[in-house]
């Protein structure tokens, strides 16, 4: 396979944004930034055998998820994703059609969000596949949903449901038996392979006066700890309010661990004032977007995040997926 032919074949024939002055084909891309908005840039990498295994992820799935996790970070800032760049380190055994399939997976999402592929890099590697995606987005000046914006008495919320991606991963890695709930197995596996970034809810959050947001890549526990640290507050959540799929508790006794520490749900968790919670909840209801209140923000104490059950309160450590532990 020829690197230049590959680049030529993945170059988009049409562009969504007329602000792109130079896309793929020169030393770098050029686009004209708008006034009154802030540019958002993020990058996340996925590595074979760390983030996915080839025996259960198709090239299309890998491409889809590599873009999805980055769109999720734009959503977590309250932004609109606009452009993406793809850096590939590809083992030599990969065929051109497999690489193109990865781009098809990315393009599924790019079409949905009217995003333009404006550049990237291609190298070969003797070892595992590494896919790095950079996404550029924008948000109205001053409206970004920073981790540091939680305040005492805010409502804490989470979108969608949590723990499903970790359940899907356990099924894929054959850590749990899929037989007792075969229909749901596909559902959980799909949640793991094809997370749906919550851009619409992120946008609603950017429209309230003040919202703190984080997307759930490393697990709810880790993301809430990050908000608490960045905002110098404590966060109290109620175990009985955590939104999980009704089948999750039947899959494995580990389900609470999945919900709190599993990660890769790519849902959003955050905080808004009590008054704005009512507005946000209503706007989500109108659009049939799932959002659930799970707790409150408190004045800072020595514990960042506390989980309350009927009888107990326990500290929820910043543990979750950690590459170096
Ligand atoms: N190797 C690095 N060099 C420079 N900055 C980094 C590096 N790794 C992470 N960062 C920065 O640290 C901050 C937190 O990054 P992190 O990757 O934890 O966030 P995230 O993308 O939301 O989480 P996840 O990677 O689990 O999806 C970001 O500002 C990110 O740009
Ligand atoms: C084969 C396999 N084993 C384990 C996992 C779980 N996992 C990997 S990275 C990560 C956190 C988010 O990544 P990052 O922090 O790099 O963005 C999680 C929960 C997986 N997906 N595949
Ligand atoms: Mg990251
Ligand atoms: Mg994030
Ligand atoms: Mg991320």
């Amino acid at each position: 396979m020829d690197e230049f032919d590959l680049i030529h074949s993945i170059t988009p024939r049409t562009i969504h944004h007329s602000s792109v002055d130079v896309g793929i084909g020169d030393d770098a891309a050029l686009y004209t930034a708008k006034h009154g908005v802030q540019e958002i840039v993020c990058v996340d990498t996925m590595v074979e055998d760390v983030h996915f295994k080839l025996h259960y992820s198709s090239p299309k799935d890998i491409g889809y998820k590599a873009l999805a996790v980055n769109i999720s970070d734009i959503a977590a800032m309250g932004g609109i994703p606009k452009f993406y760049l793809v850096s590939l380190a590809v083992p030599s055994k990969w065929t051109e059609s497999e690489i193109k399939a990865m781009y098809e997976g990315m393009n599924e999402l790019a079409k949905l969000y009217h995003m333009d592929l404006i550049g990237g890099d291609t190298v070969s590697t003797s070892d595992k596949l590494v896919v790095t995606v950079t996404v550029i987005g924008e948000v109205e000046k001053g409206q970004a949903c920073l981790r540091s914006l939680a305040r005492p008495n805010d409502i804490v919320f989470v979108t969608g449901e949590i723990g499903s991606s970790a359940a899907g991963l356990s099924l894929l890695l054959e850590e749990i038996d899929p037989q007792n709930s075969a229909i749901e197995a596909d559902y959980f596996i799909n949640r793991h392979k094809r997370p749906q970034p919550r851009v619409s809810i992120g946008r609603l959050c950017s429209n309230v006066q003040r919202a703190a947001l984080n997307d759930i890549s490393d697990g709810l526990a880790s993301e809430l700890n990050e908000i608490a640290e960045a905002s110098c507050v404590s966060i109290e959540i109620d175990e009985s309010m955590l939104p999980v799929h009704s089948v999750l508790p039947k899959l494995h006794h580990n389900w609470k661990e999945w919900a709190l520490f599993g990660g890769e749900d790519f849902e959003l968790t955050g905080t808004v004032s009590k008054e704005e919670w009512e507005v946000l909840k209503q706007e989500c209801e109108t659009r049939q977007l799932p959002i659930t209140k799970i707790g409150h923000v408190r004045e800072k104490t020595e514990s960042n995040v506390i989980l309350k059950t009927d009888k107990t309160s326990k500290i929820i450590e910043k543990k979750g997926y950690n590459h170096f532990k």
Side-chain angles (χ1 to χ4, degrees), residues 119-187:
D121 193 28
T122 317
V123 297
S124 61
T125 171
S126 55
D127 201 24
K128 313 281 180 193
L129 175 73
V130 180
V131 186
T132 301
V133 176
T134 300
V135 170
I136 297 169
E138 63 182 32
V139 64
E140 296 77 3
K141 208 169 176 60
Q143 296 288 105
C145 305
L146 309 181
R147 293 176 182 180
S148 56
L149 289 176
R151 297 290 176 264
N153 299 318
D154 277 2
I155 301 293
V156 183
F157 62 83
V158 67
T159 65
E161 80 211 13
I162 51 175
S164 300
S165 171
L169 178 62
S170 270
L171 286 159
L172 287 166
L173 298 178
E174 297 177 358
E175 293 167 349
I176 57 170
D177 183 4
Q179 280 163 9
N180 47 6
S181 50
I183 299 165
E184 285 84 2
D186 287 345
Y187 170 83

Side-chain angles (χ1 to χ4, degrees), residues 1 11 15 44 89 152 232 248 256 294 303 310:
M1 162 189 14
T11 300
I15 53 160
D44 266 334
C232 292
L248 195 77
K256 284 181 191 166
I294 58 169
S303 8
D310 282 354

Side-chain angles (χ1 to χ4, degrees), residues 3-43:
E3 180 189 335
F4 301 103
D5 289 343
L6 175 76
I7 295 169
H8 181 72
S9 71
I10 52 102
T11 300
R13 305 280 174 261
T14 54
I15 53 160
H16 295 286
H17 298 284
S18 56
S19 52
V20 178
D21 303 309
V22 176
I24 293 177
D26 212 307
D27 295 298
L30 281 177
Y31 65 89
T32 304
K34 273 197 229 153
H35 285 290
V37 303
Q38 286 173 301
E39 302 281 309
I40 314 171
V41 189
C42 62
V43 57

Side-chain angles (χ1 to χ4, degrees), residues 44 73 147 215 217-218:
D44 266 334
D73 275 319
R147 293 176 182 180
D215 69 320
S217 51
D218 294 331

Side-chain angles (χ1 to χ4, degrees), residues 83-103:
F83 308 122
Y84 66 113
L85 298 93
V86 179
S87 167
L88 292 179
V90 195
S92 46
K93 62 175 184 251
W94 276 63
T95 64
E96 189 167 343
S97 66
E98 285 172 325
I99 300 176
K100 282 190 193 157
M102 241 187 312
Y103 280 86

